[in-house]
Amino acid sequence: NIKMSANNGFVDSMVKYIQILGESNPKDENEILKYVKLAADNDHLVSMLYYGQCLENGDGVEMNKKDAASYYKKAADRGNAKAQNRYGKMLFNGEGISVDKKERIKYFKMAADNGIETAMKNIAMIFYHGIGIECNKKEAAKYFKMHAKTSNDYESTFNYGLMCLKGEGVPENHIKAAKYFKLAADNGNAETMLIYATMLDKGEGIQVNIDESKKYLLMAKENGYEDAKEALSLIKNKQLFEKYCHHFK
């Protein structure tokens, strides 16, 4: 009997019984949560995460952020990446536990290194702006690049391109900057469309291509970027780079 085996402390049986309950119709949510908690208390990682989410959101149980943080931490310390990220957020916001600048960085880094995309962006911003810690542009660049590659997020792609352009945290490299600006532009960032058009106009890190420059300026205009209207007239007079060269300083 699977239920009996679960009640006798066999974690695999707990998980199997939870699956059986989840497939039943109608579902007994209270019974499911009872065995999720039992599995969590017996160090089943997914159950720790799930029960922590229930406690954090008051989903089927009384909301208790302190206990949620405790379950997240247990799962995080055993290598669950999603729990690492959630525990990092609770440390960041002081939800159920005290704000801890050092620990939140530790758990965000763990989550990022284990593939959680939002953690990559969070830790990149923390390092770049020095939020609660000393500014570290090298680490910021590392995680912006990581997030750009895994998610195609235009903000991280733009930020990494800008760091390559200015030599912040990475060696200055206008060819690489142009590559990442194009990616950000193609993912819908209007400001980057303008910057990339400027690079195409000047041949900054990329071969001069006036037709492509106009194409990206039109894209920026269509995306509501006001500067693109003036930029379209400037490109004809070879003044585009001079007008927007502040991006390259």
Side-chain angles (χ1 to χ4, degrees):
N1 184 292
I2 292 174
K3 182 177 180 180
M4 184 181 296
S5 180
N7 288 333
N8 285 328
F10 291 95
V11 176
D12 288 346
S13 296
M14 296 173 197
V15 174
K16 182 63 177 175
Y17 188 53
I18 292 166
Q19 291 172 343
I20 292 170
L21 290 168
E23 293 167 359
S24 62
N25 190 14
K27 295 178 183 178
D28 187 338
E29 298 294 346
N30 289 332
E31 185 79 350
I32 291 172
L33 282 175
K34 172 185 173 182
Y35 282 90
V36 168
K37 183 180 185 303
L38 187 62
D41 291 340
N42 279 275
D43 295 339
H44 184 254
L45 286 179
V46 175
S47 296
M48 289 181 206
L49 174 65
Y50 183 77
Y51 194 63
Q53 290 173 321
C54 292
L55 288 166
E56 182 183 7
N57 300 316
D59 186 6
V61 293
E62 185 177 348
M63 184 182 291
N64 188 324
K65 298 206 176 218
K66 182 179 179 181
D67 284 352
S70 178
Y71 279 99
Y72 286 152
K73 186 178 188 305
K74 283 174 66 179
D77 289 342
R78 287 164 174 78
N80 186 287
K82 290 182 179 178
Q84 290 163 353
N85 189 46
R86 286 184 175 271
Y87 186 60
K89 286 181 179 178
M90 297 190 87
L91 288 165
F92 189 88
N93 297 319
E95 296 181 82
I97 48 178
S98 300
V99 171
D100 190 318
K101 296 174 182 177
K102 184 177 180 180
E103 283 291 285
R104 74 188 181 194
I105 292 162
K106 169 186 170 183
Y107 284 94
F108 275 146
K109 265 184 112 290
M110 288 166 65
D113 291 338
N114 282 312
I116 300 298
E117 292 176 2
T118 55
M120 296 172 194
K121 190 170 185 177
N122 285 337
I123 197 66
M125 295 298 287
I126 287 170
F127 278 126
Y128 188 85
H129 294 290
I131 303 172
I133 58 165
E134 187 177 346
C135 177
N136 188 327
K137 296 292 178 70
K138 184 177 180 180
E139 284 292 287
K142 170 186 171 181
Y143 286 102
F144 277 135
K145 182 181 181 182
M146 185 186 293
H147 189 230
K149 283 192 168 184
T150 59
S151 71
N152 290 324
D153 177 83
Y154 69 75
E155 289 182 357
S156 290
T157 308
F158 170 79
N159 286 335
Y160 184 67
L162 198 61
M163 295 184 84
C164 290
L165 186 69
K166 296 184 175 181
E168 288 186 310
V170 290
E172 186 174 321
N173 187 326
H174 288 204
I175 295 173
K176 188 176 284 187
K179 171 188 171 183
Y180 278 89
F181 283 144
K182 184 180 187 302
L183 287 171
D186 290 343
N187 281 323
N189 185 281
E191 182 183 3
T192 315
M193 293 170 192
L194 176 59
I195 298 172
Y196 184 61
T198 307
M199 298 183 84
L200 286 162
D201 175 61
K202 179 66 175 179
E204 189 71 31
I206 194 168
Q207 188 174 349
V208 171
N209 190 325
I210 301 302
D211 289 338
E212 278 291 285
S213 183
K214 289 178 181 177
K215 169 187 166 183
Y216 279 92
L217 287 174
L218 285 168
M219 286 168 60
K221 181 181 176 182
E222 289 167 2
N223 279 274
Y225 201 73
E226 290 297 319
D227 284 354
K229 297 175 184 177
E230 181 187 10
L232 277 164
S233 65
L234 291 172
I235 193 171
K236 297 173 184 176
N237 299 316
K238 305 293 184 183
Q239 296 173 332
L240 182 61
F241 182 81
E242 285 70 22
K243 174 71 175 178
Y244 295 102
C245 66
H246 63 275
H247 287 297
F248 305 91
K249 293 178 179 178

